Amino acid sequence: MATNAFSSPAAGRTANPKAAPSPSTRRTADSAAATAAAAAASESKARFEAYNRLQAAAVSFGEKLPIPEIVAIGGQSDGKSSLLEALLGFRFNVREVEMGTRRPLVLQMVHDPTALDPRCRFQEEESEEYGSPMVLATAIADLIKQRTEAHLRKIQAAVSSKPIVMRAEYAYCPNLTIIDTPGFVLKAKKGEPESTPEEILSMVKSLASPPHRLLLFLQQSSVEWCSSLWLDAIRDIDPTFRRTMIVISKFDNRLKEFTERWEVDGYLSASGYLGDNIHPFFVALPKDRGTISNEEFRRQICQVDIDVLRHLKDNVKGGFNEEKYGPYIGFSCLKKYLESELQKRYKEAAPATLALLEQRCTEVSTDLSRLDSKLQATSDVAQLRRSAMLHAANICTHLRALLDGAADPAPELWGKTTEEEQMHSGIGSWPGINMPVKPPNSSLKLYGGAAFERVMHEFRCATYSMECPQVSREKVANILLAHAGRGGSSGLTEAAAEIARAAARSWLAPLIDTACDRLAFVLQSLFDLAMERCRYQDSKYHQNVEDMDGYVGFLAALRCSYYKFVKELSKQCKQIVRHHLDSVTSPYSHICYENDFLSGVGSVANSMHRFNHFPGVTSFDLSDSGSALEEAQENVPPKDHQHMTPPAKGNESKEILRESQLTVPETPSPDLPVDMNGGKKKDNGNLNDGGARKRHARMAAYANRNHHNNVVGADDMGSKSGSSYSSICSISAQYFAKMREVLIERNVPSALNSGFLTPCRERLFLALGFELFAVNDDRFMDMFVAPGAVDAIQNERQSLLKRQKILLSCLNEFKNISRTL
């Protein structure tokens, strides 16, 4: 049988053979225990004070420090405000201002045995400093309400995640820091946006998500575990409840439902809804909201704990499992657990916090050095010029690398597809092309030289997809009849060539301009990539000597100069390619009359030869209803009579006709070189002709146009007007295709490459340097020292110095704490 733990002292003395310690020995042991307890308490308080100061600095400067903190979470009216008042040990009507519904409140509770009355101070909104102590509870509530409403008006919102920091020093509060969050609501109250519930839920999740924060989740006892509204939201934040403490508030409301021990134990265990190692706390607090003293408030809290335990023991048959659930019932148990758990987390986090503080102090020192360099640079123009020139040269180097072919930074993030290029450049489809142009690799994200070549290929695809536009009969008639009136035997071919030239000038010119604009956009997009490569290179190799990120004015001027340089290149390329277009479409160009082209025209050319040699071409009617010859025309014999001409006379008339149409060339001048194959001299597809109407040039053109055709007489003409119209359109289309081919295959690619890429590789830095640095010192400094810029740098430096001072103070405190651990 086990020994009774509550056996008499005599039995205890009989069982213990050792002699009792002397009074002096007991006094020494008690004194040592008291000294150790005092040292532990002092160490705990020092650690708590250090974390409180660090937390204040983090709130003030927006630092993201993994400080162990407790975040109170729960639905509206679940008792969070009453719990905070109980922890503080006094009431300040926090529920009257509904502080938890719109803005978080950071409560830093400091146990100070000398503070017999609570001293509350609020941290200034934009500083780490605290205001004057406040004693009156109503003044505390009013200030919370005033700050909340003023901040929400400023940001034009219903809720805000920016906390209010309140420090409470009191002899009856623990060393504890709790962040009280807005309470969950199902519906926005009157006057608030409908999205308020979602905004509160999102903000609370954001505050509770960092892993260094402990969650204090409150839920009313009247809510069954199976119907908890917000337990799922807690699971989203902390699925295993590893850092969650669950508190069942208003536990006294549930006591009257318990009559049997199994009912109490089943409810206290939360079996099936929480993990086996998760033990909720069950708390009841005074309901009296009347005006009472702080001492009476604390006495009522203790009395409620006693009443709850008495009810469970006396009014429930068999009581409850006190050994298992006793440590989790009552406010005093929760208070003790929270304080011990937070101190435990503080102790565990101290080494990591020390390392993080050292890192932050180093970062602040680096930032201070950077600002000092800027301030020094404003007075050292020569050094600033050197830094700016080195930065511009670095940008130009990276631009050349991107044009020559680079895959850094990641094309998946920085490149663009063909569709994205069209959208971001503001240049939609190609003019005159009704169908979408999809060049190879159009779906890949490219930049630099690869994107340049893709646009060039897209231009080729767009140009080759364009056919010679249809020409109206009126235009054909105007051109044809005018050429026929000049005399000569090549009226129809000249008309077809003129139609093709006009079409090429009007339809290919917009495509060329669009290609230049698209290529300019590709080059301009490289500036941001070059900047990113500079930043990456500096961070990778720790090269911050020429760090110019802070000089916004200079970077803007550098970007503007680069854009201007590319725009000027685009303008020059348009002029060069337009010159090639004018040359190809010139009446003096041999492109349409080259032997290889004419030999490929085929039967259409043969029919055109017959039209060219018909003496009455002006008598044709090109309208839809007109015939090849007006049979009723005066002085024109009927068709049958033409066939009645004797053969000899017919042949003779043809010979006479042939001779009358020939032009005898003059003796060639020694100054004009003549090609042995036809009297032509070509230079890049253009004729070198001394005059517009030199007889030898006309003779050469005549020979080239007609040497492959057999001469036929007018009696071979029997077609309708549709035949002449379609023939002219067909020949015009072939002339158009030849001009397009010469442009795309010979002239345009080399012109665009040499017009865009070569200057970017060879003249970019010279052009940028001439515009940015070939100025006097006053104009140069305008890019760096804007009005008020020096004052802004000075203010930023002062703020960093203040931040550095606080961080160093916290660092020294944590070093002292670490030595005692």
Side-chain angles (χ1 to χ4, degrees):
M1 185 175 67
T3 304
N4 190 345
F6 297 97
S7 55
S8 63
R13 285 193 296 271
T14 304
N16 186 2
K18 294 183 179 179
S22 64
S24 61
T25 303
R26 285 198 301 268
R27 284 195 298 270
T28 303
D30 292 343
S31 177
T35 303
S42 176
E43 176 189 333
S44 174
K45 183 176 181 180
R47 188 162 51 242
F48 181 78
E49 287 286 348
Y51 271 107
N52 271 356
R53 276 190 286 274
L54 185 59
Q55 186 181 53
V59 171
S60 174
F61 296 109
E63 297 277 1
K64 301 296 183 181
L65 299 176
I67 303 171
E69 296 164 327
I70 297 176
V71 181
I73 300 174
Q76 201 169 39
S77 302
D78 277 347
K80 290 193 292 85
S81 301
S82 298
L83 179 63
L84 292 178
E85 288 181 338
L87 289 170
L88 285 167
F90 67 95
R91 284 177 171 169
F92 58 95
N93 296 325
V94 71
R95 293 194 302 173
E96 300 299 325
V97 298
E98 295 182 344
M99 66 150 191
T101 59
R102 294 190 290 171
R103 193 174 173 187
L105 175 68
V106 177
L107 283 176
Q108 296 177 342
M109 307 177 201
V110 180
H111 176 70
D112 185 357
T114 64
L116 300 180
D117 292 320
R119 295 192 299 264
C120 297
R121 295 184 298 162
F122 287 87
Q123 183 180 349
E124 300 298 335
E125 291 281 46
E126 304 298 335
S127 172
E128 79 284 357
E129 302 293 336
Y130 287 85
S132 302
M134 305 177 68
V135 178
L136 295 177
T138 54
I140 296 171
D142 291 341
L143 184 59
I144 293 175
K145 182 177 181 179
Q146 175 187 348
R147 286 196 175 186
T148 300
E149 293 178 349
H151 179 68
L152 294 179
R153 279 197 305 268
K154 180 180 178 181
I155 65 174
Q156 296 293 313
V159 294
S160 172
S161 60
K162 182 177 177 59
I164 298 174
V165 180
M166 177 179 127
R167 179 184 175 90
E169 301 170 355
Y170 197 27
Y172 302 99
C173 72
N175 287 317
L176 199 64
T177 297
I178 292 183
I179 302 175
D180 185 27
T181 61
F184 297 130
V185 292
L186 294 176
K187 185 178 180 181
K189 67 181 183 180
K190 187 176 181 180
E192 290 184 340
E194 294 296 328
S195 61
T196 300
E198 291 77 13
E199 292 180 13
I200 291 176
L201 180 61
S202 175
M203 182 182 69
V204 171
K205 285 186 175 182
S206 176
L207 289 172
S209 294
H212 61 273
R213 287 180 171 168
L214 304 176
L215 310 185
L216 184 64
F217 173 60
L218 279 79
Q219 179 176 276
Q220 294 188 45
S221 62
S222 58
V223 178
E224 299 294 338
W225 291 111
C226 60
S227 59
S228 176
L229 291 175
W230 310 117
L231 195 59
D232 290 338
I234 301 302
R235 281 196 177 94
D236 292 341
I237 302 171
D238 183 21
T240 61
F241 298 113
R242 184 182 59 85
R243 54 189 180 93
T244 301
M245 297 166 286
I246 299 176
V247 177
I248 303 303
S249 62
K250 304 179 183 180
F251 183 50
D252 50 340
N253 294 338
R254 192 68 183 254
L255 292 177
K256 57 187 177 182
E257 300 181 10
F258 303 133
T259 58
E260 301 286 343
R261 175 170 178 154
W262 66 269
E263 294 175 333
V264 179
D265 291 348
Y267 179 78
L268 297 178
S269 66
S271 178
Y273 299 100
L274 303 176
D276 295 336
N277 297 324
I278 306 300
H279 298 289
F281 287 87
F282 300 88
V283 175
L285 294 171
K287 291 183 170 59
D288 184 12
R289 298 301 298 177
T291 303
I292 58 176
S293 64
N294 293 335
E295 291 78 10
E296 178 62 19
F297 177 56
R298 294 192 296 273
R299 189 198 66 79
Q300 289 183 4
I301 293 175
C302 296
Q303 187 61 44
V304 170
D305 284 351
I306 295 171
D307 293 342
V308 169
L309 290 173
R310 182 184 296 117
H311 180 89
L312 291 175
K313 294 176 182 178
D314 299 342
N315 297 341
V316 176
K317 186 178 179 179
F320 72 106
N321 190 342
E322 189 171 356
E323 180 181 359
K324 184 176 182 180
Y325 301 114
Y328 302 100
I329 296 177
F331 170 77
S332 59
C333 294
L334 174 63
K335 176 182 177 182
K336 187 184 300 183
Y337 177 81
L338 289 177
E339 190 171 14
S340 63
E341 185 67 19
L342 191 59
Q343 289 295 333
K344 174 186 172 184
R345 299 291 179 118
Y346 281 164
K347 188 173 182 179
E348 293 174 351
T353 305
L354 177 62
L356 183 61
L357 282 173
E358 290 178 343
Q359 177 186 344
R360 293 297 170 84
C361 289
T362 303
E363 292 173 355
V364 171
S365 299
T366 302
D367 292 340
L368 279 172
S369 299
R370 177 177 55 84
L371 290 180
D372 290 339
S373 299
K374 283 187 177 182
L375 289 174
Q376 182 181 2
T378 57
S379 58
D380 189 351
V381 182
Q383 175 63 27
L384 196 58
R385 280 183 179 272
R386 174 183 175 277
S387 299
M389 292 181 70
L390 288 176
H391 184 77
N394 201 14
I395 291 291
C396 293
T397 300
H398 287 298
L399 285 170
R400 285 194 296 270
L402 291 168
L403 289 176
D404 292 339
D408 179 35
E412 297 83 0
L413 299 177
W414 293 85
K416 292 182 180 66
T417 63
T418 296
E419 185 177 355
E420 289 172 343
E421 280 183 4
Q422 293 174 347
M423 179 178 64
H424 293 162
S425 65
I427 304 172
S429 60
W430 294 87
I433 307 299
N434 298 325
M435 64 184 69
V437 180
K438 297 291 184 182
N441 305 314
S442 62
S443 61
L444 297 183
K445 290 181 176 290
L446 305 179
Y447 57 65
F452 189 94
E453 290 302 321
R454 184 175 62 185
V455 173
M456 292 286 292
H457 196 87
E458 185 182 354
F459 169 63
R460 287 167 53 89
C461 294
T463 307
Y464 276 116
S465 65
M466 174 180 287
E467 300 295 338
C468 183
Q470 192 71 20
V471 184
S472 66
R473 293 176 179 270
E474 286 77 5
K475 289 184 178 180
V476 172
N478 275 275
I479 296 175
L480 174 63
L481 298 181
H483 276 279
R486 299 175 191 171
S489 60
S490 58
L492 290 177
T493 53
E494 287 291 346
E498 182 60 32
I499 292 171
R501 284 191 288 266
R505 283 191 292 267
S506 61
W507 290 93
L508 296 182
L511 289 177
I512 292 171
D513 291 345
T514 301
C516 292
D517 293 337
R518 283 282 303 279
L519 293 174
F521 173 77
V522 169
L523 294 181
Q524 288 179 343
S525 301
L526 295 183
F527 187 85
D528 290 324
L529 277 80
M531 290 288 293
E532 179 64 20
R533 284 172 62 95
C534 280
R535 284 190 286 267
Y536 174 76
Q537 186 183 54
D538 291 345
S539 62
K540 182 177 180 181
Y541 299 104
H542 305 288
Q543 297 175 350
N544 295 316
V545 179
E546 316 304 335
D547 181 17
M548 307 295 289
D549 284 347
Y551 297 109
V552 179
F554 168 72
L555 294 179
L558 180 61
R559 180 188 297 268
C560 183
S561 296
Y562 175 69
Y563 284 2
K564 181 180 178 182
F565 177 77
V566 174
K567 187 176 180 181
E568 186 64 27
L569 292 183
S570 177
K571 180 180 178 181
Q572 294 174 4
C573 284
K574 288 180 182 179
Q575 294 175 350
I576 294 172
V577 180
R578 282 293 189 96
H579 174 72
H580 286 297
L581 177 62
D582 293 340
S583 299
V584 170
T585 58
S586 170
Y588 307 110
S589 173
H590 283 193
I591 290 175
C592 295
Y593 311 121
E594 293 176 351
N595 293 339
D596 56 345
F597 172 67
L598 290 175
S599 62
V601 172
S603 61
V604 179
N606 293 330
S607 63
M608 289 303 298
H609 177 76
R610 292 195 297 270
F611 280 108
N612 289 337
H613 286 75
F614 184 67
V617 67
T618 57
S619 65
F620 279 100
D621 185 3
L622 292 176
S623 64
D624 292 337
S625 59
S627 61
L629 284 174
E630 293 291 349
E631 294 184 358
Q633 184 176 349
E634 187 177 1
N635 297 328
V636 178
K639 292 181 180 181
D640 294 340
H641 292 179
Q642 294 179 21
H643 295 287
M644 294 175 61
T645 306
K649 290 185 177 181
N651 293 334
E652 182 180 355
S653 64
K654 291 179 182 178
E655 293 296 335
I656 295 173
L657 177 64
R658 180 180 301 176
E659 292 178 0
S660 65
Q661 291 178 338
L662 289 177
T663 302
V664 179
E666 297 177 351
T667 303
S669 170
D671 298 330
L672 296 176
V674 180
D675 187 12
M676 297 301 296
N677 294 325
K680 291 191 297 183
K681 182 67 177 179
K682 293 193 297 181
D683 183 14
N684 292 331
N686 297 329
L687 280 172
N688 290 330
D689 199 340
R693 295 295 180 182
K694 293 295 183 178
R695 292 187 178 181
H696 73 277
R698 292 182 60 189
M699 186 61 194
Y702 174 83
N704 275 328
R705 296 173 201 175
N706 300 286
H707 78 280
H708 63 289
N709 294 328
N710 294 322
V711 180
V712 293
D715 57 336
D716 292 331
M717 295 303 302
S719 62
K720 298 292 184 179
S721 62
S723 175
S724 60
Y725 173 71
S726 61
S727 298
I728 290 177
C729 291
S730 177
I731 292 294
S732 298
Q734 296 182 58
Y735 286 164
F736 178 86
K738 183 62 177 178
M739 297 175 187
R740 176 182 62 190
E741 179 185 357
V742 171
L743 277 173
I744 303 306
E745 301 301 334
R746 302 182 191 175
N747 300 336
V748 174
S750 60
L752 293 180
N753 276 282
S754 60
F756 277 111
L757 299 182
T758 302
C760 284
R761 292 188 177 103
E762 298 177 357
R763 295 192 288 110
L764 177 58
F765 180 68
L766 181 62
L768 297 182
F770 183 80
E771 184 168 351
L772 295 176
F773 307 119
V775 294
N776 57 37
D777 289 347
D778 292 338
R779 286 192 58 189
F780 177 77
M781 291 303 295
D782 287 342
M783 294 186 291
F784 295 89
V785 185
V790 175
D791 293 338
I793 295 176
Q794 290 282 10
N795 293 336
E796 184 180 358
R797 184 176 181 276
Q798 291 299 323
S799 177
L800 281 176
L801 285 172
K802 203 171 186 180
R803 178 181 171 191
Q804 185 187 46
K805 180 180 178 181
I806 294 175
L807 289 176
L808 287 174
S809 175
C810 293
L811 176 62
N812 293 330
E813 285 187 84
F814 273 92
K815 284 182 177 180
N816 294 330
I817 292 172
S818 299
R819 295 190 188 101
T820 62
L821 293 178

